[in-house]
Amino acid sequence: MRYFTSVSDIGDLSAALREASAIKADRFRYDSLGRNKTLMMVFFNSSLRTRLSTQKAALNLGMNVIVLDVNAGAWKLETERGVIMDGDKPEHLLEAIPVMGCYCDIIGVRSFAGLQSRDYDYSEEVIGRFIKYSGRPVFSMEAATGHPLQGFADIITIEEYKRSARPKVVLTWAPHPKALPQAVPNSFAQWSVAAGYEVVVTHPHGYELDERFTRGAVIEYDQDKAFEGADFIYAKNWSAYAGDNYGKILSADRSWTVDSRKMALTRDAFFMHCLPVRRGMIVTDEVIESPRSIVIPEAANREISATVVLKRMLESL
């Protein structure tokens, strides 16, 4: 596997899930695979789970790890073409990327959506340039439009907890004080459909996601109806995608917060969230602290999804 940016790059998902299960049972089985190989993790944005889990995965495989925080301790990087660089950015990404490639064997990139231009964000310029100019295998540690390591970990988690072959999985919008990108919900919907689940996406009008990611899912605007009979509830905020409203907050309706009354509509569903989570906005204390909350096992599986991806990349070198 040379690149990993979406579920289409993983190949046979069932095979990938079997591989994840085997790695979880013996996560140091391939600890010599990455000997004398170096992973460079490039962060344009802050991170906790992605940074820790991906670095742990690389160490599981015997790799060396370099972590670069672009906005802390490195030159500020210009990303636009055709600009006169007379501001506070002394280095261009087009020179920085091939230099990074000189010092490593695999590159992971984390770069969020700017939420100013949908065309720019959805063209995935930043990670696309790493793929084009680094000369190295590249994987996404969250990009403007997707978070495939999270999506993969989410499916690993559902497979571990599901009580039927085809569970009902509900992705629900919830309020948030800041405008957030669509990357996590895009990936969760796409990976869940690929896994063959019954997928329902529920949100207020105006929060429709790109159909490329939700194709195969049912869109339901009545949250209570969506929750009925659900096996898994995945709560997440995102800003508007469509038209001139791109990147905007259209609603702060607290009635969409996931609480005990709504969870009671489900089939004793498990609660999921990628973290960090805003308590009292996304979910109430009693729900996230309940025995049906699996947010911590979900986060733990980030190490497993990253290990599978890095293992496959190492095998392709």
Side-chain angles (χ1 to χ4, degrees):
M1 185 165 64
R2 183 84 178 167
Y3 305 112
F4 179 71
T5 62
S6 75
V7 67
S8 61
D9 296 318
I10 204 71
D12 184 334
L13 183 52
S14 295
L17 288 166
R18 289 193 297 272
E19 188 172 357
S21 180
I23 283 174
K24 191 166 185 177
D26 184 5
R27 63 193 71 199
F28 302 109
R29 180 179 178 183
Y30 303 99
D31 61 357
S32 63
L33 187 61
R35 184 173 180 270
N36 295 330
K37 301 297 183 184
T38 299
L39 167 66
M40 179 174 288
M41 300 164 60
V42 183
F43 290 91
F44 290 85
N45 304 97
S46 58
S47 173
L48 190 152
R49 275 148 297 277
T50 298
R51 180 189 297 254
L52 297 178
S53 62
T54 308
Q55 186 165 352
K56 179 62 165 62
L59 295 173
N60 292 351
L61 295 165
M63 299 186 76
N64 303 310
V65 180
I66 299 172
V67 179
L68 176 64
D69 287 300
V70 171
N71 297 316
W75 298 116
K76 290 185 178 180
L77 297 177
E78 178 60 65
T79 59
E80 300 292 332
R81 285 184 178 274
V83 298
I84 297 173
M85 293 174 58
D86 58 354
D88 64 343
K89 298 175 180 177
E91 185 162 7
H92 202 286
L93 198 60
L94 294 180
E95 285 78 60
I97 289 173
V99 169
M100 293 179 203
C102 294
Y103 306 140
C104 64
D105 300 281
I106 297 174
I107 300 178
V109 182
R110 183 175 178 93
S111 179
F112 292 171
L115 299 180
Q116 300 301 310
S117 166
R118 188 177 74 174
D119 289 344
Y120 180 82
D121 287 344
Y122 274 70
S123 69
E124 292 288 14
E125 285 284 335
V126 174
I127 195 166
R129 287 179 182 175
F130 274 88
I131 290 171
K132 185 174 182 179
Y133 297 114
S134 70
R136 302 298 182 191
V138 175
F139 67 96
S140 171
M141 298 191 299
E142 186 171 0
T145 65
H147 195 348
L149 286 174
Q150 181 67 54
F152 189 14
D154 293 336
I155 301 308
I156 293 169
T157 307
I158 291 173
E159 288 296 302
E160 291 175 339
Y161 284 87
K162 71 181 186 180
R163 298 161 295 187
S164 62
R166 189 170 185 260
K168 180 179 178 180
V169 176
V170 177
L171 168 63
T172 180
W173 179 93
H176 195 281
K178 294 175 62 179
L180 298 183
Q182 301 93 32
V184 169
N186 281 347
S187 284
F188 182 75
Q190 188 180 51
W191 282 77
S192 296
V193 169
Y197 305 148
E198 178 187 351
V199 183
V200 178
V201 181
T202 184
H203 51 72
H205 288 277
Y207 280 100
E208 294 78 11
L209 294 166
D210 187 335
E211 290 182 0
R212 288 177 294 173
F213 298 97
T214 60
R215 190 173 293 115
V218 172
I219 310 302
E220 174 56 65
Y221 296 100
D222 184 330
Q223 190 187 35
D224 282 3
K225 184 177 179 181
F227 274 44
E228 292 175 1
D231 297 293
F232 293 88
I233 299 296
Y234 196 106
K236 186 72 179 76
N237 175 267
W238 61 89
S239 59
Y241 165 77
D244 293 338
N245 286 325
Y246 178 72
K248 294 181 180 178
I249 297 174
L250 304 181
S251 173
D253 186 353
R254 297 281 183 91
S255 72
W256 281 78
T257 300
V258 178
D259 58 20
S260 295
R261 182 194 71 79
K262 290 172 185 169
M263 293 299 290
L265 299 171
T266 71
R267 197 166 71 94
D268 200 19
F270 292 101
F271 176 80
M272 301 178 69
H273 189 278
C274 62
L275 301 182
V277 65
R278 299 263 185 160
R279 291 185 178 216
M281 295 287 294
I282 301 291
V283 61
T284 59
D285 288 346
E286 61 267 27
V287 171
I288 197 168
E289 293 177 12
S290 78
R292 309 303 289 175
S293 173
I294 54 174
V295 296
I296 303 304
E298 179 185 0
N301 278 329
R302 290 293 308 279
E303 175 189 346
I304 307 305
S305 65
T307 304
V308 173
V309 169
L310 284 172
K311 171 182 172 290
R312 290 185 171 198
M313 288 190 152
L314 286 167
E315 290 170 339
S316 71
L317 291 177

